[in-house]
Amino acid sequence: MEHSPRHASAPLETPTDHARRAADVIAERSGIAHHDLALVLGSGWGEAADLIGETVSEIPAAEVPGFHAPAVAGHVPVMRSIRLAGSERVALVLGSRTHLYEGRGVRAVAHGMRTAAATGATQVVLTNGCGGLNPEWVPGQVVLIRDHINLTATSPLEGATFVDLTDLYSQHLRDLAHEVDATLPEGVYVQFPGPHYETPAEVRMAGIIGGDLVGMSTTLEAIAAREAGMEVLGLSLMTNLAAGISPAPLSHTEVLEAGREAAPRIARLLADIVARMG
């Protein structure tokens, strides 16, 4: 009896393949063959894109493979290629990120970092808006991320992939940030899964285990960026005191308002830091 030949199934697309495909679309649509660094602009940080240089391309994020329109108010639905002022270096600016709580999976969360690396970026600046545990900090305080604690119970790494995170948040880049503003404090960022805010008990726990900041992003991206070989700088805008630290109830409106008030100042700060990177 003659049997029909079996056809081998097509190999599954790896995260790196997916990122390469997205990078090819960015290169084609932007006309920029190589990007040098990447920025992820979280809540309150969007104005920085206008200060770092000349925008040479804007692409709706949803038109690039693996990216989506932002799910959070205050994020920007386009990615931009910006030629840095006084330089030939080009930054890929991601105005939005995929959060783990959106339910798209951890690959989608890490996709922006893998794509940035595939465009050529060797450095990335990750920014966010977050809650703070230090009662001496007031809303609008920028804090350099020195280290993180990942409480999402997941990782962007797959298989037997072992990456050293000892110096994940670059001391070199933090030193550059301190050249711009020597008063910037440093802290440990704790990522919870979200989308609900943390309870007062969870915030107390975060402090006991060494945290200074709490939020719902950044750590998984930072790990993926390190795996991809990028140098990482993390900047948090403390938009509110975390639950139980402040007597006031938390709201996303409060986060957006604190971001709006701080925006001109932190945009200038970030632009001055980026000007020193290279």
Side-chain angles (χ1 to χ4, degrees):
M1 180 176 178
E2 187 175 344
H3 295 276
S4 299
R6 292 190 177 185
H7 297 285
S9 58
L12 296 176
E13 186 176 53
T14 68
T16 301
D17 294 335
H18 198 194
R20 181 70 265 166
R21 193 156 55 87
D24 289 343
V25 170
I26 292 169
E28 180 182 357
R29 294 281 300 273
S30 69
I32 303 295
H34 176 89
H35 291 78
D36 299 281
L37 70 155
L39 292 87
V40 179
L41 301 183
S43 297
W45 293 93
E47 289 187 19
D50 295 324
L51 299 180
I52 64 173
E54 175 192 1
T55 296
V56 294
S57 169
E58 288 191 355
I59 307 170
E63 295 180 8
V64 178
F67 289 86
H68 310 275
V72 180
H75 290 234
V76 180
V78 298
M79 59 178 66
R80 299 164 66 172
S81 297
I82 298 180
R83 182 166 287 107
L84 302 184
S87 170
E88 290 303 309
R89 287 163 55 83
V90 179
L92 178 67
V93 179
L94 305 179
S96 66
R97 54 164 41 105
T98 298
H99 298 80
L100 186 63
Y101 59 70
E102 294 175 39
R104 301 181 188 275
V106 71
R107 279 190 177 186
V109 175
H111 181 61
M113 295 301 92
R114 292 179 173 131
T115 298
T119 69
T122 57
Q123 298 173 316
V124 61
V125 181
L126 300 172
T127 67
N128 61 55
C130 68
L133 277 66
N134 187 337
E136 296 182 1
W137 294 341
V138 297
Q141 174 68 58
V142 173
V143 181
L144 292 172
I145 300 177
R146 180 181 72 250
D147 204 345
H148 79 224
I149 299 171
N150 172 15
L151 296 183
T152 68
T154 190
S155 170
L157 309 186
E158 301 181 17
T161 305
F162 306 109
V163 177
D164 181 16
L165 303 180
T166 302
D167 59 348
L168 174 55
Y169 297 93
S170 167
Q171 181 67 59
H172 164 64
L173 294 183
R174 283 186 280 137
D175 289 344
L176 291 182
H178 279 132
E179 289 178 9
V180 176
D181 184 348
T183 70
L184 287 175
E186 297 191 356
V188 175
Y189 180 92
V190 182
Q191 181 177 351
F192 286 83
H196 53 275
Y197 289 111
E198 305 77 22
T199 68
E202 289 169 337
V203 169
R204 288 196 299 274
M205 177 191 73
I208 290 169
I209 63 177
D212 303 291
L213 307 161
V214 292
M216 307 173 194
S217 68
T218 304
T219 73
L220 300 175
E221 293 164 304
I223 295 168
R226 168 50 59 89
E227 179 197 18
M230 289 192 287
E231 189 179 20
V232 179
L233 175 66
L235 291 163
S236 290
L237 170 65
M238 197 200 84
T239 56
N240 56 275
L241 289 170
I245 308 295
S246 167
L250 304 182
S251 74
H252 191 57
T253 301
E254 178 186 27
V255 171
L256 294 176
E257 180 58 31
R260 279 192 292 269
E261 291 182 4
R265 174 174 51 84
I266 66 174
R268 184 69 268 165
L269 170 70
L270 181 54
D272 289 346
I273 293 171
V274 169
R276 284 169 167 75
M277 294 171 63

